[in-house]
């Protein structure tokens, strides 16, 4: 006998209730056991896991960026990755796909045996089998190889090498070792693109592609531009990267590895402090200009290398530092370890005649009105021959009597040597002491850069002191004095020459070259670098006026000036040429150092070229001068901002209109505001015209519009022209902007009401 339906439900509910109570009891029992009997065991397991994952580790901070003077990003950090293939994962994925296909095929076979088969379901399974086959690595390998070859070209493997790499790895199911390295180094951007390729787009756990992050790479968005002074792309820190490493590096943090939701994560104990951002003084646009101009000249001269330095006169901010070195394929590039501007073993040559003559003026051993007899361009002092001969023809460049100014303008070795020997022969140490006092070589320029940048001007006193420590050093010789006067027997890194010439441009005030103007962290300024005065006055204003005038004539004296190739139609340049020999007579260095514009100097620039091989005598004027000129012109064009008042007025342009026509009251208001002299009585009509006679006097004229005739609208503004034309009964079409310049219907002709008139405005 069966139970009633409602009692049957009650029994089922009771049984279900008993099962729930039993399950709950088992859970409670398990909790009690874990908290009691098994507690110690679980705690030991927890400790072992903590030991496995709680190892303390250093956390590297993000290195700061370097910016230009216009806040353009010059150096930043970009992550790089090594790509490794886990072919075992790839093989396992294919095994799953093949197993799925076998299972689906079995279902299809079973379904097809049925009398009433489900065709739609069979088609669905067949499509799935086809898709699985397409996903097999063997069927996607060629597409993947094609994408890799297209992406990396010659930088990666060849097509055959890729095919061989994937075939061998897949066959052997390789999981580690160098045979699994797909790429040793790729950028983050490249990695993201690679992840979209066939197979790899399925993710790490199916494709077997494992990206392993390498140490962060420093990246320069502008390529090799200014890398020598920035110090980027170097195996060791140099330039700004090294000098300001303590700011850029930040502070390391500490943390420990733990496991959350099945993933290993790092928890911070001490958070790292990211590096600060360094804002340099470099102007990337001016740097680009200087590099292009210098490269063109180096190619023309087939020179070994070259350098351009440019700094602001008032602040000392270095805007340009170009260092181009010739490579094996005869191209010229910047190298991070090739900063020519930091080299110490540079004999400046004839540019040194400028501080030499300033010292002579300051010690009053020379007068501006003195003359020097250069004889036939050759003068022998003891066993040293000093000459002003052309190196090719051996004819004298300078001979006979010349003025003190001509010593600089014509760059006479004989002239400057005779002046200095006459003034300091009895006390050569005085000459050296005056150069020291003027800060020609002291204090040292120390910007924290890797590599020496020391100037060295040694007199009898300094050489004697050094010889005590090193007897092999040469003693002072009397011929050192004349040789030193024109830039030999001294070491002057380019920045020292630039600094001294900048002082001449800056009314005698010497400021230190600066490469960084401020440092920020999270947009907050933490350090600034104001202009640093080295010497408020290198010489008297009288001496300064003499030297500035001489340097201007070096460029603008078209007959004798050695720097006339630097003369510009657009900006006045003052400077001094330099040529020096090294390692024998066949090796030359040429230079030109000066400032511009002459009236209100803004920039001081030095151009240096080493080992030019062009036919003819090496010349700082003809070789380095044109580079200086082009940089000055293009940089001034880029930086000069003119107001509208600076532009000259076109002489053919009429200041006032010869005739005006329009609303009478509005014309009256306008003419009153412009303070025009107007004769005649103001017409009572709504519209009137004003005409200017040959004497520049304006007079009022009435405007008469006859009924049923086309009015003259030329010279009117659009508002007045529309009013007059539509009141007369014309329909108006307008083209252009401004005042009415032409009308389609001739003034005075009759017309029909509603007729259209076309107005051309200009």
């Amino acid at each position: 006998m069966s139970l009633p339906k409602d009692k049957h439900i009650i029994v089922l509910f009771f049984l279900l209730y008993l099962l729930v109570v039993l399950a709950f009891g088992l859970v409670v029992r398990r909790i009690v056991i874990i908290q009691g009997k098994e507690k110690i065991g679980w705690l030991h397991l927890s400790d072992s896991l903590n030991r496995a994952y709680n190892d303390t580790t250093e956390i590297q901070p993000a290195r700061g960026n370097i910016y230009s003077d216009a806040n353009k990003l010059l150096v930043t950090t970009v992550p790089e990755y090594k790509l490794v293939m886990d072919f075992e994962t790839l093989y396992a994925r294919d095994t799953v796909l093949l197993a799925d296909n076998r299972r689906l095929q079995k279902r299809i076979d079973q379904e097809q045996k049925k009398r009433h088969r489900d065709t739609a379901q069979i088609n669905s399974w067949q499509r799935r089998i086809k898709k699985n086959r397409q996903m097999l690595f063997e069927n996607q390998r060629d597409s993947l190889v094609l994408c890799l070859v297209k992406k990396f070209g010659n930088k990666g493997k060849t097509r055959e090498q890729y095919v061989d790499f994937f075939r061998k790895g897949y066959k052997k199911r390789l999981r580690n070792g160098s045979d699994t390295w797909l790429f040793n180094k790729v950028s983050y951007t490249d990695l993201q693109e690679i992840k979209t390729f066939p197979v790899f787009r399925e993710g790490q756990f199916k494709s077997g592609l494992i990206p392993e992050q390498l140490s962060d790479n420093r990246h320069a968005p502008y390529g090799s531009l200014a890398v020598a002074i920035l110090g980027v792309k170097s195996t060791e820190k140099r330039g700004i990267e090294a000098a300001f490493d303590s700011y850029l590096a930040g502070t390391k943090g500490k943390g420990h590895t733990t496991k959350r939701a099945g993933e290993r994560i790092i928890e911070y104990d001490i958070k790292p402090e990211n590096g600060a951002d360094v804002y340099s003084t470099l102007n990337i646009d001016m740097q680009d200009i200087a590099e292009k101009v210098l490269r063109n000249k180096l190619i023309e001269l087939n020179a070994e290398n070259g350098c351009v330095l440019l700094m602001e006169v008032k602040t000392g901010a270095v805007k340009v530092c170009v260092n181009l070195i010739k490579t094996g394929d005869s191209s010229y590039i910047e190298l991070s370890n090739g900063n020519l501007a930091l080299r110490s073993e540079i004999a400046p040559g004839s540019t040194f005649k400028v501080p030499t003559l300033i010292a002579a003026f300051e010690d009053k051993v020379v007068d501006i009105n003195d003359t020097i007899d250069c004889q036939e361009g050759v003068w022998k002092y003891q066993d040293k021959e000093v000459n002003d001969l052309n190196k090719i023809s051996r004819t004298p460049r300078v001979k006979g009597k010349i003025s003190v100014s001509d010593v600089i303008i014509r760059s006479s070795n004989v002239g400057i040597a005779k002046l200095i020997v006459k003034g300091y022969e009895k006390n050569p140490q005085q000459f050296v002491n005056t150069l020291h006092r003027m800060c020609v070589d002291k204090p040292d320029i120390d910007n924290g850069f890797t590599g020496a940048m020391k100037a060295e001007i040694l007199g009898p006193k300094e050489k004697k002191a050094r010889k005590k420590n090193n007897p092999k050093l040469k003693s002072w010789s009397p011929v050192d004095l004349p040789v030193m006067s024109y830039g030999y027997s001294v070491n002057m890194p380019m920045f020292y020459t630039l600094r001294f010439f900048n002082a001449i441009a800056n009314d005698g005030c010497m400021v230190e070259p600066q490469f960084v103007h401020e440092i920020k962290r999270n947009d907050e300024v933490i350090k600034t670098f104001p202009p640093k005065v080295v010497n408020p006055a290198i010489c008297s204003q009288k001496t300064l006026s003499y030297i500035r005038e001489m340097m201007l004539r070096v460029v603008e004296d078209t007959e004798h000036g050695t720097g006339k190739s630097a003369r510009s139609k657009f900006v006045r340049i003052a400077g001094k040429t330099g040529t020096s020999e090294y390692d024998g007579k066949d090796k030359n260095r040429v230079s030109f150092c000066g400032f511009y514009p002459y009236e209100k100097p803004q920039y001081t620039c030095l151009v240096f070229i080493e080992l030019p091989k062009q036919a003819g005598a090496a010349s700082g004027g003809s070789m380095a001068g044109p580079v200086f000129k082009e940089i000055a012109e293009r940089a001034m064009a880029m930086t000069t901002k003119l107001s509208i008042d600076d532009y000259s007025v076109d002489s053919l342009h009429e200041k006032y209109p010869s005739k005006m026509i329009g609303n009478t009251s509005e014309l009256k208001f306008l003419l009153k505001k412009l303070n025009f002299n107007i004769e005649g009585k103001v017409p009572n009509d709504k519209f009137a015209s004003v005409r200017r006679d040959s004497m520049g006097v304006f007079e009022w004229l009435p405007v008469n519009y006859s009924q049923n005739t086309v009015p003259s609208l030329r010279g009117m503004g659009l508002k007045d022209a529309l009013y007059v034309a539509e009141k007369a009964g014309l329909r108006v079409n307008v083209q252009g902007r401004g005042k009415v310049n032409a009308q389609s219907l001739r003034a005075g002709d009759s017309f029909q009401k509603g007729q259209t008139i076309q107005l051309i405005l200009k």
Side-chain angles (χ1 to χ4, degrees):
M1 184 177 177
S2 61
L3 293 171
K5 189 175 182 181
D6 54 345
K7 288 186 178 180
H8 181 72
I9 293 172
I10 290 171
V11 171
L12 288 176
F13 180 78
F14 181 73
L15 291 173
L16 181 62
Y17 175 76
L18 287 176
L19 287 173
V20 171
V21 171
L22 180 62
F24 181 75
L26 291 172
V27 170
V28 171
R29 179 177 177 274
R30 188 62 187 153
I31 291 172
V32 171
I33 292 172
I34 290 172
Q35 291 292 328
K37 185 179 179 181
E38 297 180 357
K39 181 177 181 180
I40 295 174
W42 284 109
L43 289 174
H44 283 308
L45 179 60
S46 174
D47 289 341
S48 67
L49 289 174
N50 284 335
R51 282 193 297 271
Y53 290 105
N54 283 2
D55 296 333
T56 301
T57 181
E58 279 191 343
I59 302 172
Q60 297 295 329
R63 191 170 176 83
N65 298 328
I66 302 176
Y67 294 89
S68 73
D69 63 344
N71 297 341
K72 293 181 179 179
L73 186 62
L74 299 181
V75 184
T76 189
T77 301
V78 177
E80 289 187 326
Y81 300 85
K82 180 171 78 172
L83 300 187
V84 179
M85 286 297 301
D86 180 0
F87 288 103
E88 180 66 39
T89 298
L90 197 57
Y91 185 86
R93 160 190 169 275
D94 282 2
T95 302
V96 171
L97 291 174
L98 291 171
D100 189 40
N101 278 3
R102 287 194 296 270
R103 183 176 56 82
L104 291 172
Q105 187 60 52
K106 188 175 181 180
R107 286 186 179 183
I108 291 171
D109 294 342
Q110 289 173 349
E111 188 67 29
Q112 286 178 338
K113 289 177 182 179
K114 293 180 181 178
R115 187 173 181 181
H116 300 289
R117 64 178 68 106
D118 188 342
T119 307
Q121 184 63 62
I122 291 173
N123 291 337
S124 175
W125 287 334
Q126 288 175 338
R127 285 194 298 271
R128 191 166 157 187
I129 289 173
K130 183 179 179 181
K131 184 179 179 181
N132 285 347
R133 285 175 181 163
Q134 290 174 344
M135 290 178 66
L136 290 172
F137 178 64
E138 186 178 0
N139 295 328
Q140 293 195 78
R141 184 183 60 205
D142 289 344
S143 299
L144 173 59
V145 168
L146 183 64
C147 289
L148 291 170
V149 171
K150 187 176 180 181
K151 166 66 181 173
F152 293 100
N154 296 331
K155 296 179 182 178
K157 299 177 174 69
T158 63
R159 182 184 180 281
E160 292 73 19
Q161 287 172 331
Y162 280 123
V163 171
D164 188 58
F165 170 79
F166 287 120
R167 183 186 289 121
K168 285 182 179 179
Y170 186 82
K171 184 178 180 180
K172 296 179 180 179
R173 304 183 204 177
L174 298 175
R175 302 198 70 175
N176 50 52
S178 60
D179 289 340
T180 65
W181 296 356
L182 179 58
F183 290 106
N184 289 333
K185 187 185 291 186
V186 296
S187 68
Y188 175 80
T189 307
D190 288 341
L191 174 60
Q192 299 311 305
E193 186 176 350
I194 288 170
K195 285 182 177 180
T196 65
F197 291 172
V199 181
F200 295 156
R201 66 171 65 106
E202 296 174 41
Q204 176 178 334
F205 298 109
K206 289 186 178 180
S207 68
L209 178 69
I210 303 173
E212 296 179 358
Q213 186 169 345
L214 304 172
S215 58
D216 291 336
N217 177 50
R218 296 294 274 174
H219 174 67
Y222 290 94
S224 63
L225 206 64
V227 295
I229 199 66
L230 293 172
V232 73
K233 296 186 177 181
S234 175
T235 53
E236 58 184 59
K237 292 188 181 73
R238 295 176 180 271
I240 292 175
E241 284 273 17
F244 296 89
D245 182 62
S246 59
Y247 293 100
L248 290 164
T251 307
K252 294 178 182 179
K254 288 186 178 181
H256 60 275
T257 307
T258 187
K259 201 168 185 179
R260 293 284 185 271
E263 292 186 7
R264 294 178 64 180
I265 63 172
I266 294 177
E267 291 186 346
Y268 292 132
D269 298 321
I270 301 174
K271 292 191 73 172
E273 184 178 45
N274 291 336
D277 296 327
V278 172
Y279 288 78
S280 75
T281 60
L282 296 174
N283 183 292
I284 206 66
D285 297 318
M286 294 172 75
Q287 178 85 15
D288 187 41
I289 289 171
E291 183 175 305
K292 288 176 180 175
V293 175
L294 179 63
R295 180 179 282 111
N296 290 339
K297 179 56 73 171
L298 294 178
I299 293 171
E300 177 190 327
L301 298 176
N302 190 24
E304 204 63 30
N305 53 58
C307 179
V308 174
L309 306 176
L310 186 145
M311 65 188 279
E312 275 185 350
V313 168
K314 297 297 181 185
T315 66
V318 176
K319 295 297 177 183
V320 171
C321 184
V322 177
N323 294 270
L324 294 180
I325 297 174
K326 191 176 185 180
T327 61
D329 61 355
S330 296
S331 61
Y332 294 90
I333 61 172
E334 281 236 4
L335 298 175
S336 57
N337 59 350
N339 199 332
L340 305 172
L342 303 183
R343 281 165 44 179
S344 290
E345 71 290 354
I346 299 290
S350 292
T351 54
F352 198 75
K353 290 171 183 170
V354 172
T356 294
L357 190 57
I358 291 177
F361 275 131
E362 291 299 285
D363 287 338
K364 295 182 171 51
V365 299
V366 172
D367 185 81
I368 190 66
N369 298 313
D370 288 346
T371 58
I372 307 98
D373 186 3
C374 294
Q375 302 168 355
E376 292 301 311
V378 178
W379 176 58
K380 193 165 185 177
Y381 178 71
Q382 295 194 11
D383 61 344
K384 177 66 180 177
E385 181 185 283
V386 181
N387 71 75
D388 287 325
L389 301 178
N390 184 291
K391 291 182 181 180
I392 304 299
S393 64
R394 304 305 293 173
T395 57
R397 293 185 303 103
V398 182
K399 65 179 182 177
K401 289 187 177 182
I402 62 171
S403 67
V404 171
S405 295
D406 282 334
V407 169
I408 298 296
I409 297 166
R410 304 176 70 172
S411 195
S412 171
N413 293 341
V414 173
I416 195 71
K418 277 193 164 187
L419 285 175
I420 297 306
V421 167
K422 180 183 176 183
Y424 296 104
E425 186 175 24
K426 294 180 180 179
N427 187 7
Q429 187 63 46
Q430 182 188 355
F431 172 58
V432 175
N433 289 344
T434 302
L435 293 174
H436 292 332
R437 190 171 64 249
M438 289 159 49
C439 298
V440 177
D441 62 333
K442 303 291 181 184
D444 293 337
I445 296 176
D446 182 15
N447 293 101
F449 294 144
T450 303
M453 191 161 59
K454 306 280 185 185
E456 203 170 63
I457 303 175
L458 304 178
K461 181 180 175 182
E462 291 87 0
K463 285 199 171 186
K464 185 177 180 180
R466 287 202 178 185
K467 194 168 177 61
K468 286 181 180 179
N469 299 324
N470 188 352
K472 292 182 180 180
L473 289 177
K474 288 183 179 181
S475 301
W476 173 266
S477 168
V479 299
D480 286 343
L481 183 62
V483 169
M484 189 181 288
S485 70
Y486 52 85
Y488 289 88
S489 294
V490 295
N491 284 333
M492 280 281 287
M494 285 175 258
F495 270 113
Y496 286 81
T497 302
L498 183 75
R499 181 177 71 173
F500 189 82
F501 275 66
N502 190 76
I504 297 170
N506 196 24
D507 294 325
C509 179
M510 181 182 286
V511 292
E512 195 81 340
Q514 299 270 31
F515 296 88
V516 170
H517 67 90
E518 66 181 9
I519 298 174
K520 292 182 180 180
R521 180 178 279 114
N522 300 325
D523 290 330
E524 181 182 346
V525 177
I526 61 175
K527 188 174 179 63
T528 59
F529 298 86
K532 182 180 177 182
V533 176
V534 176
N535 187 346
I538 60 169
C539 63
S540 67
Q541 288 297 312
K542 183 179 180 181
T543 298
L544 203 62
S545 64
Y546 291 156
I547 293 297
R548 285 168 64 105
E549 178 65 24
M550 293 175 198
M551 290 173 65
L552 180 66
R553 290 181 60 192
V554 166
V555 178
E556 296 197 347
D557 187 325
T558 56
E559 183 179 0
H560 297 301
T562 56
K564 52 181 173 284
S565 296
R567 187 176 185 182
S568 168
K569 295 186 293 184
F570 307 104
V571 54
R572 295 188 83 188
I573 294 168
K576 179 68 186 78
T577 57
T579 305
S580 63
E581 297 174 348
Y582 71 101
D583 292 344
K585 292 186 176 181
D586 294 331
K587 293 185 177 181
N588 296 283
R589 295 176 176 132
V590 298
S591 61
F592 185 96
C593 191
F595 56 86
Y596 66 91
Y598 177 76
E599 298 81 0
K600 292 182 179 180
Q602 293 182 34
Y603 300 105
T604 303
C605 181
L606 183 147
V607 178
F608 170 89
I609 297 173
E610 187 168 74
L611 212 58
K613 299 184 182 69
Q614 188 188 51
S619 164
S622 62
M623 293 177 173
V627 177
F628 187 107
K629 170 191 170 184
E630 189 173 349
I631 291 171
E633 289 178 345
R634 294 176 65 176
M636 285 299 292
M638 185 187 75
T639 58
T640 302
K641 296 179 180 179
L642 299 176
S643 69
I644 194 168
D645 296 329
D646 295 321
Y647 292 93
S648 59
V649 178
D650 185 354
S651 60
L652 300 177
H653 176 71
E654 291 188 359
K655 188 174 181 181
Y656 306 114
S658 59
K659 184 178 180 181
M660 291 183 285
I661 185 169
N663 182 280
T664 304
S665 61
E666 291 179 1
L667 271 178
K668 184 178 177 183
F669 174 81
L670 175 65
L671 295 169
K672 184 178 179 182
K673 284 288 183 184
L674 295 174
N675 295 320
F676 282 176
N677 182 22
I678 309 168
E679 294 185 350
K681 187 179 178 182
V682 180
N684 293 324
D685 299 328
K686 185 174 180 64
F687 286 89
S689 67
V690 178
R691 184 176 62 189
R692 180 170 60 91
D693 62 20
S694 59
M695 302 298 293
V697 178
F698 288 90
E699 61 175 337
W700 287 103
L701 297 172
V703 177
N704 298 316
Y705 296 116
S706 303
Q707 214 166 12
N708 298 326
T709 60
V710 177
S712 174
L713 305 175
R714 292 189 63 181
M716 286 188 177
L718 180 60
K719 184 181 75 170
D720 293 338
L722 286 173
Y723 177 84
V724 173
E726 290 179 352
K727 188 175 182 183
L730 289 164
R731 299 178 68 180
V732 181
N733 280 344
V734 179
Q735 182 180 339
R737 292 183 299 176
K739 292 184 177 182
V740 178
N741 181 259
Q743 59 187 71
S744 60
L745 301 179
R746 191 169 57 184
D749 286 359
S750 58
F751 69 94
Q752 304 226 347
K753 205 162 187 179
Q755 191 172 345
T756 300
I757 184 171
Q758 179 85 15
L759 302 182
I760 307 297
L761 275 61
K762 286 188 179 177

